[in-house]
């Protein structure tokens, strides 16, 4: 079976992608994973609490809460616009990084600036464990533990327990989708929305777009297989992988909170995200889907000033505003 030509990149995005250093688009392989993680940890920003407070614009604190195992702990970074009291809606946010990299701090300046400040949101960002040190359900277990802790202490944290939104990008988007399934099935805290930005949903890595974009999308089929393999080990691609780690494995999508899903037309994850939106609709669910023309994975981070990146940010903000305002 042929997989056709690669869809054209948006001209602005394509120009930025072409100008990147070759190392920035080199596929992640199992042999190179340890070095890749070390480089990422050294180069990815990790702002301090003082820096996140942005000269008093935000109230920020780090919290260490009980994890899922005996003696285990999960670090949460809790933030909100300064001066806002009373119960605020919460965006419970899970960072990206392919399940193998990223941290809870680096995403916060943008999340606070673009969503928390204009909408009056509280944000909790989760430092979940990374593969391959963490395997299978351990990252989502960390995310669940933090969510349960926040829900149980909503009053003391100044949160509105009836307005929790799950959100995340890439790996974090996949974890947010899995967490929505997990809380539905186990009677966890009710949530009013799931913000799924280029979510990593399907460990099988065998969609048309995964093959079509091989070697073209910055996060391609090789990188994706490496990341899923680091998380799942021998389970990778097996028939019984849990939907609580790969949400595309779910066979019942009834009763989930409204979803915002976005992906690029020139992205590895395109078809699995479109299929997930379709499955939500077929189950009678509420889903808003954006397929950004000519966008690759992580386009708005790589090229934040591009027109398409601005359009995507505006669409996310509009959806969040509607959901928390209902």
């Amino acid at each position: 079976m042929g997989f056709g030509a690669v869809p054209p990149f948006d001209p602005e995005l394509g120009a930025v992608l072409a100008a990147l250093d070759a190392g920035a688009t080199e596929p992640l392989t199992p042999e190179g994973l340890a070095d890749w993680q070390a480089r990422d940890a050294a180069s990815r920003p990790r702002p301090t609490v003082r820096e996140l407070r942005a000269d008093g614009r935000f109230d920020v604190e780090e919290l260490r809460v009980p994890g899922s195992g005996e003696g285990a702990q999960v670090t949460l970074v809790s933030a909100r616009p300064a001066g806002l009291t009373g119960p605020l809606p919460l965006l419970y946010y899970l960072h990206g990084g392919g399940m193998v990299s990223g941290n809870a701090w680096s995403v916060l300046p943008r999340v606070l600036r673009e969503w928390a400040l204009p909408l009056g949101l509280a944000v909790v960002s989760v430092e979940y464990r990374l593969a391959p040190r963490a395997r299978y359900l351990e990252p989502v277990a960390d995310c669940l533990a933090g969510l349960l802790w926040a829900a149980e202490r909503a009053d003391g944290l100044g949160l509105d327990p009836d307005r929790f939104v799950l959100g995340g990008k890439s790996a974090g988007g996949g974890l947010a989708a899995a967490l929505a399934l997990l809380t539905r099935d186990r009677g966890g805290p009710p949530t009013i929305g799931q913000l799924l930005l280029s979510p990593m949903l399907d460990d099988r890595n065998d969609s048309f777009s995964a093959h079509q974009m091989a070697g073209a999308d910055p996060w391609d089929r090789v990188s994706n297989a490496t990341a899923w393999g680091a998380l799942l080990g021998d389970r990778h691609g097996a028939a019984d992988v849990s939907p609580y780690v790969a949400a595309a494995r779910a066979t019942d999508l009834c009763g989930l909170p409204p979803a915002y899903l976005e992906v690029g037309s020139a992205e590895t994850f395109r078809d699995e995200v479109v299929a997930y939106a379709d499955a939500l609709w077929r189950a009678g669910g509420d889903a808003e889907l954006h397929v950004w023309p000519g966008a690759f994975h992580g386009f708005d981070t790589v090229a934040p000033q591009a027109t398409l990146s601005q359009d995507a940010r505006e669409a996310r903000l509009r959806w969040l505003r509607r959901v928390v305002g209902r």
Side-chain angles (χ1 to χ4, degrees), residues 212-278:
Q212 182 188 34
M213 297 308 301
D217 187 16
W219 184 261
D220 75 349
R221 192 165 179 261
V222 172
S223 299
N224 202 39
T226 300
W228 277 115
L231 180 67
L232 298 178
D234 292 342
R235 290 187 176 94
H236 184 203
D240 59 349
V241 168
S242 170
Y244 303 147
V245 66
R249 298 296 198 121
T251 56
D252 176 13
L253 296 183
C254 295
L256 292 169
Y260 176 100
L261 302 101
E262 74 164 48
V263 71
S265 68
E267 181 172 353
T268 299
F269 293 156
R270 182 192 67 216
D271 293 350
E272 64 193 67
V273 173
V274 171
Y276 199 71
D278 184 61

Side-chain angles (χ1 to χ4, degrees), residues 12-319:
E12 282 185 285
L13 300 180
V16 173
L17 186 61
L20 290 178
D21 181 86
T25 56
E26 185 177 333
L28 174 62
T29 64
E31 300 75 23
L33 177 57
D35 285 345
W36 192 87
Q37 287 181 308
R39 289 196 304 271
D40 182 86
S43 63
R44 190 181 295 268
R46 193 183 178 103
T48 64
V49 167
R50 181 179 179 181
E51 289 167 336
L52 290 171
R53 287 174 178 156
D55 296 324
R57 293 173 71 196
F58 301 102
D59 296 328
V60 183
E61 59 179 330
E62 293 180 6
L63 307 166
R64 287 174 178 80
V65 308
S68 58
E70 185 176 349
Q73 287 192 317
V74 179
T75 297
L76 308 176
V77 187
S78 175
R80 66 174 61 210
L84 294 186
T85 58
L88 299 184
L90 172 69
L91 175 62
Y92 189 78
Y93 196 77
L94 312 175
H95 68 79
M99 304 285 189
V100 296
S101 66
N103 66 66
W105 294 265
S106 65
V107 295
L108 274 174
R110 185 170 171 181
V111 168
L112 292 174
R113 181 179 67 249
E114 294 183 1
W115 296 330
L117 200 58
L119 298 180
L121 295 177
V123 175
V124 168
S125 184
V126 186
E127 181 73 349
Y128 56 85
R129 285 171 288 176
L130 301 175
R133 182 169 297 176
R135 286 294 181 97
Y136 200 37
L137 295 171
E138 289 177 338
V140 77
D142 291 345
C143 297
L144 178 62
L147 181 65
L148 292 172
W149 187 90
E152 289 167 359
R153 292 158 181 78
D155 287 346
L157 295 170
L159 304 176
D160 183 345
D162 296 322
R163 290 193 293 167
F164 279 22
V165 178
L166 306 175
K169 188 172 187 178
S170 191
L175 285 168
L179 191 56
L181 291 163
L182 190 55
T183 54
R184 177 200 65 181
D185 294 345
R186 298 192 180 176
T191 53
I192 61 169
Q194 45 182 333
L195 179 71
L196 310 179
L197 308 179
S198 294
M200 185 176 172
L201 299 168
D202 198 340
D203 67 294
R204 291 165 292 193
N205 200 26
D206 199 34
S207 69
F208 187 98
S209 60
H211 289 277
Q212 182 188 34
M213 297 308 301
D217 187 16
W219 184 261
D220 75 349
R221 192 165 179 261
V222 172
S223 299
N224 202 39
T226 300
W228 277 115
L231 180 67
L232 298 178
D234 292 342
R235 290 187 176 94
H236 184 203
D240 59 349
V241 168
S242 170
Y244 303 147
V245 66
R249 298 296 198 121
T251 56
D252 176 13
L253 296 183
C254 295
L256 292 169
Y260 176 100
L261 302 101
E262 74 164 48
V263 71
S265 68
E267 181 172 353
T268 299
F269 293 156
R270 182 192 67 216
D271 293 350
E272 64 193 67
V273 173
V274 171
Y276 199 71
D278 184 61
L280 287 167
W281 293 321
R282 288 171 181 259
D286 177 344
E288 178 175 327
L289 171 66
H290 293 262
V291 181
W292 298 110
F296 51 79
H297 190 70
F299 69 99
D300 63 307
T301 299
V302 174
Q305 300 307 316
T307 300
L308 208 64
S309 300
Q310 297 178 50
D311 289 347
R313 289 196 297 272
E314 290 171 4
R316 299 164 192 164
L317 182 65
R318 286 196 299 267
W319 180 84

